[in-house]
Amino acid sequence: MYWLPRDQVRALVNRLAESYAVYGPRRDEVSGEVVFDRLEELERLDLQAAIPYNPPKHALLPQYEEILKYLYSKQSQKVTIEKISKVEPKALVGLRACDLNGILCLDRFFLGQEFVDEIYLEHRKKLFIISNTCVRPFPQCFCVCTDSGPAAGEGFDLDLTCAGQGYLVLVGSKKGQRLVEELGLREAGSEAQNLREKIVAESVSSFDNFALENKAWVSRATNRLTTGFIKPEVWEYIGNQCFECGACSFVCPTCSCFNVEDVNRVDGPTDRVRTWDSCSFEGYTKMAGDHNPRKPVEDRRNKRFFCKLSYSQSKKYLRPGCVGCGRCARVCPGDIGLPNVVTYIRREITGE
Amino acid sequence: MSYYRGICNFCGTGCGHLLQVEGNRVRGVYPLPGHPLSRGRLCVRGWHIHELLQTEERITSPLIREGNSFRPVSFDEAVDFTASRLKTFSGREVAFLGSPRASNEENYLFGKFARAVMKSNNLSLTSDAGLEESSRVLLEGCGLPAMTGSLSALRQADFILVVGGDLTKQNPIIASEIHFARRSGTFVATISPRKTQMARLSQKHLRPNPGTIWLLLEALARALRTEGLVRGDDLEERVENARQYLEYLDSLDLKQASESTGVEEQEIISLARKFYESESAFAFYPVGIQSLDRRSMSALLNLFLLAGKLDRPAGGMCPVTGISNLLGSLDMGVSPAFLPGYFPVEAEESWRRFEELWQVGLNRTPGKSAAACLQEDRSIKALLVVDHDEEIIRHVNRIKELEFVVYFGAYQNAFASLATVIFPRLNYVEGDGTYTNSERRVQLSQKKVEPPAGIKPMWEILSRLASALGQPWPYKSAEEIMTEISRVVPQYSGLSHEKLRASLGLRWPVDDRHPGGTEFPLAEETGRGFKFVFDGAADRRQSLRSGKEGVFPFKLVVGRSNYFWHQNSVMKRTFIPRREYNALLLLYPNGFVEVSEEDARALGLREKQPVRIVSEAAEIRLATRISPDILPGMLYIPYFIEEMISGFLHRQVSELEKNEEFFLPVRLEKVE
């Protein structure tokens, strides 16, 4: 483990900016809120800021992305297809552990199955990831219930843990090791590992005092969801409150569903575009011939929670599909973010 | 930085968002967490505004009609041509149709151009179903022409009454606030014939028969009297015409009202009590796109006045606007009834005031709405229209007869093809502008991307036209126009772009006494006179009978926004909302009629079975859609199929469009 004094953070970021577009948390001046954004002005990076309102997903899976262009020529009766490649190397600095776990879930969906998604792969290959331990949880957090925080375990190039006047730096890759050496960081000493563990343990024990917005005892809910013993009335109660806006999927660090559209031009090439999509939409599951296996809103709602919490899905992700960031609870107009749904499922079990 | 703070431009909620801008294109959108109203939420439309903002279906050059096609021309040529043609018309020969999606600055100048340059008072808005009516009622009843309540305080209310429409579809984030209020203990009651999602989310749902919302509201007021909760002498001190109103109210028979509305007397009484006992109460009703009618709005206002709920904080009347700047457009006087700042056109002082401010003589004869001009006035020869977002164009044949039509628009659409001259417009992220949401919150939307080459801001187009017509206008930016607005519109007197840049919106009145805006104008400013609004001894019984119940037993209601939004003319340029809104259209390509489960059973109707709907004037064939959401005896047709409008509803359409209380007596026949 290495030691990064606070005043050297700028040097680290400057170094990264030489080869990467730097992304990180910054505060909005007027609303005061934290956004995970591309930073041209590197001094805007704020490692002390709260968990950003948006996950870093847009850096790997943009909300709107042209993926290819094709043109049909009437004369030659041929189609030419051209790949649109605008993927630049990006450094994601100051990722919270939940968001890093979100990326690992996306990896397993896009890269870990039979078909590898080439566009995602290109984004992913060019990433440099620096995670940032939450030394204190934020009000909406419940990552301790989903095994995804408050500190990162894997998947980073470098990992920072704030300790007094600087950061303990954990190296997770060769790329990370190279950067640490280039910056000439000194070893943090033999006590560093213990110190990090102590900081993380303190953070975990302070959830009771600080993380007050959400409680989500996920394991029992996983059991019920997997065995299917949840009454339809519970889903109807949840479905009635769904505004069908798609926000829960859009803000979820692990949601990977997308839509593909062709933007046609009268006399020009067609762009093929990939955009975010959500299982809460009726059109998402609608098939040709008007059949819709998930027509009622409650069926679409429960699909999402199966995806996040059932055992069969967790096997795919090698972890629960929920990383405990609490964002879905904040953006939901119907107040049926995942923690509340877990509460309703538990209430059915306990009969409270 | 790629995420920039902004305001959603769809409905009148005015949610805060972050637009992701890369390479001069809007690539994404995200809710703005710190926004005082939307608090980090967006609806399905708001979540896809970036898809609309990327569309290539823009109008990018001024165009002049030549025969059946258009010729791209230079900006100068378009201005010269337009000015030379406009010179040939007198004020009363021209009508102006403004856009509730355009900014305050644009609407103010559009109105000023009509009145000061063209001397025309034929000025109105598209999609203004009922806002002007609501403003008149509120102005008459409490002296404030807009929301007396506050959206950011509605979670503190004890009691919320939602009347008509379906807020969960029209203004989802306001509905969400109401839902959160209910979850934290507020009592929410909905009054609507349809079982809407809003109704499902309420503790109480009263379902009056179509056309009887006003009667149910009067019955609630009457119940306050029969229960002995409101005494006459207290009331006379508070409200000017209390005695006359009580006379009118006491002539209502609760039992009869219960029969006509189909709502049990006990239900009426218990809701009236619950309402009366609440510490603070809000009423929400829709205006714009779909709207409550004048009679229901008045009855609702009277109910609140009677119970003394209007001048308290954490409560009030809340007309909810369906389009982003509907309220602002009316504030700016794009209306046949008001000059900017709600100065009534009937008053001579209003005209004197504006002649002095604008330093120009005005035509003091009040005008009409553009729709009224087209419908009844043969002397109209020219029409100027901004962003006609309605897919279905009314009076299309009359418009084709006009000598001169100017269209200012950002996107290609059906209306553009009717124009003589087309001016391209910026979309809302390509320039600065302020927008006023339902709760009087004026918010500044700042420029985020450069417009396509050659597109000029609306203020520049209008300034050039004004100059060519002999009135040199000095404007150099939207900011300067706001400075003028602050001098002209008293409610905006304390506003400037500079002030708005550092805030997330300020609620008018913003003036010397309220530099930070006003949350509850009626509570903060005493001394406004209250007055009950009613039309005297109208014959209630007469308005409840069509006299044709035997031949036409069903009440057909036409809905404007339950399964679609704004006839989808805006939504069709997005991907996901288009898919979602079109799902139904694809299932029922020729339209459908909703029939209650009870009626379907009684008539032996199956899903998708073709039926004929016959009214006195016309008939149409539609597919059956059996719905648990409507009352027996009621039929429901959504307003989005062109053929249905032009072929069946055409004669009744103006009434149907105005409000959701209107119904058509019809009968339903099976097609064998």
Side-chain angles (χ1 to χ4, degrees), chain B residues 352-469:
Chain B
R352 268 202 298 281
R353 183 175 190 274
F354 279 88
E355 284 180 348
E356 206 161 288
L357 283 163
W358 287 343
Q359 291 291 302
V360 62
L362 296 172
N363 168 7
R364 296 189 180 190
T365 318
K368 282 182 279 193
S369 73
C373 287
L374 292 170
Q375 198 165 337
E376 39 194 73
D377 194 343
R378 301 306 298 177
S379 60
I380 289 298
K381 292 180 178 157
L383 179 67
L384 283 80
V385 179
V386 186
D387 271 348
H388 194 290
D389 284 335
E390 305 268 325
E391 190 81 338
I392 297 161
I393 302 161
R394 307 238 332 270
H395 315 296
V396 64
N397 291 328
R398 180 77 184 90
I399 294 170
K400 281 180 186 159
E401 289 168 13
L402 296 177
E403 290 175 23
F404 192 55
V405 179
V406 186
Y407 183 65
F408 305 87
Y411 304 111
Q412 292 162 13
N413 76 10
F415 193 92
S417 64
L418 298 172
T420 325
V421 188
I422 300 172
F423 283 98
R425 237 164 70 68
L426 307 180
N427 69 29
Y428 87 103
V429 291
E430 290 165 351
D432 288 352
T434 61
Y435 299 82
T436 308
N437 80 349
S438 296
E439 67 160 350
R440 300 170 275 104
R441 185 182 291 276
V442 186
Q443 306 189 85
L444 175 65
S445 167
Q446 288 177 274
K447 178 174 173 176
K448 293 175 183 69
V449 299
E450 286 301 325
I455 304 190
K456 309 273 187 210
M458 188 75 178
W459 57 260
E460 197 174 334
I461 306 172
L462 291 173
S463 297
R464 285 286 302 277
L465 284 173
S467 301
L469 290 164

Side-chain angles (χ1 to χ4, degrees), chain B residues 12-219:
Chain B
T13 311
C15 296
H17 63 196
L18 292 160
L19 286 180
Q20 188 185 18
V21 181
E22 277 168 9
N24 203 43
R25 285 179 73 187
V26 177
R27 311 286 295 180
V29 64
Y30 209 81
L32 177 70
H35 193 268
L37 198 159
S38 57
R39 310 183 207 216
R41 287 160 297 168
L42 291 173
C43 69
V44 62
R45 297 188 292 264
W47 265 107
H48 296 93
I49 200 163
H50 64 294
E51 295 179 352
L52 170 68
L53 291 171
Q54 299 215 55
T55 180
E56 293 179 11
E57 292 172 26
R58 289 290 295 273
I59 302 170
T60 50
S61 159
L63 300 164
I64 293 180
R65 169 180 295 277
E66 266 175 14
N68 281 328
S69 60
F70 287 93
R71 175 170 63 91
V73 296
S74 71
F75 183 62
D76 289 340
E77 185 181 344
V79 167
D80 292 343
F81 175 70
T82 305
S84 70
R85 292 296 304 275
L86 286 178
K87 263 180 203 156
T88 63
F89 304 110
S90 73
R92 54 183 307 271
E93 291 172 330
V94 192
F96 292 78
L97 195 52
S99 163
R101 218 181 288 290
S103 69
N104 288 321
E105 290 79 357
E106 291 168 318
N107 272 302
Y108 171 75
L109 273 202
F110 189 64
K112 185 174 174 179
F113 184 79
R115 296 193 203 270
V117 179
M118 291 305 297
K119 315 287 185 207
S120 168
N121 295 316
N122 299 324
L123 178 62
S124 62
L125 288 165
T126 50
S127 321
D128 162 34
L131 175 69
E132 192 180 294
E133 204 69 88
S134 161
S135 295
R136 282 173 192 267
V137 168
L138 291 173
L139 206 53
E140 201 179 327
C142 67
L144 186 84
M147 186 179 288
T148 74
S150 141
L151 293 177
S152 51
L154 75 84
R155 290 194 198 183
Q156 295 152 29
D158 262 1
F159 185 99
I160 292 175
L161 184 62
V162 185
V163 186
D166 185 358
L167 279 184
T168 54
K169 299 286 183 291
Q170 293 169 60
N171 297 67
I173 301 306
I174 294 177
S176 168
E177 278 296 293
I178 296 173
H179 178 53
F180 273 87
R182 198 213 60 162
R183 286 179 53 75
S184 58
T186 306
F187 187 87
V188 179
T190 291
I191 292 180
S192 69
R194 274 186 72 90
K195 192 172 185 180
T196 58
Q197 190 181 9
M198 196 68 248
R200 288 195 174 87
L201 294 174
S202 309
Q203 281 99 325
K204 192 83 217 162
H205 179 204
L206 298 188
R207 305 180 74 178
N209 289 322
T212 64
I213 288 181
W214 64 273
L215 184 62
L216 180 57
L217 292 167
E218 287 192 349

Side-chain angles (χ1 to χ4, degrees), chain A residues 56-206:
Chain A
K57 183 164 76 177
H58 59 90
L60 292 91
L61 181 65
Q63 199 165 1
Y64 186 108
E65 183 179 28
E66 285 95 353
I67 50 180
L68 62 84
K69 206 184 258 300
Y70 64 85
L71 181 66
Y72 173 71
S73 157
K74 254 187 194 160
Q75 265 177 344
S76 63
Q77 298 194 352
K78 277 201 179 108
V79 182
T80 46
I81 301 179
E82 186 192 329
K83 179 178 155 197
I84 308 175
S85 180
K86 282 184 202 150
V87 179
E88 57 178 352
K90 302 180 198 88
L92 311 185
V93 182
L95 278 194
R96 299 296 177 177
C98 51
D99 287 341
L100 176 53
N101 274 294
I103 293 179
L104 300 182
C105 282
L106 293 178
D107 286 353
R108 281 165 199 138
F109 175 81
F110 283 112
L111 309 175
Q113 304 184 80
E114 191 180 346
F115 297 101
V116 168
D117 188 297
E118 286 178 28
I119 301 135
Y120 179 89
L121 179 65
E122 209 167 330
H123 282 283
R124 188 65 179 91
K125 274 196 306 199
K126 296 178 177 172
L127 280 194
F128 190 98
I129 294 177
I130 302 184
S131 48
N132 185 13
T133 301
C134 298
V135 296
R136 211 177 80 180
F138 302 98
Q140 69 270 41
C141 299
F142 57 97
C143 59
V144 285
C145 308
T146 54
D147 188 26
S148 46
E154 57 171 339
F156 50 80
D157 294 298
L158 294 179
D159 172 75
L160 307 180
T161 302
C162 185
Q165 289 310 301
Y167 293 88
L168 297 166
V169 184
L170 212 55
V171 174
S173 72
K174 282 185 187 151
K175 263 192 294 188
Q177 184 67 40
R178 245 191 332 268
L179 183 65
V180 161
E181 284 164 14
E182 279 169 15
L183 285 168
L185 299 188
R186 68 168 172 82
E187 294 267 356
S190 56
E191 276 307 293
Q193 191 59 40
N194 286 343
L195 181 59
R196 185 178 186 269
E197 274 168 27
K198 191 167 150 263
I199 290 168
V200 173
E202 266 170 28
S203 175
V204 170
S205 60
S206 67

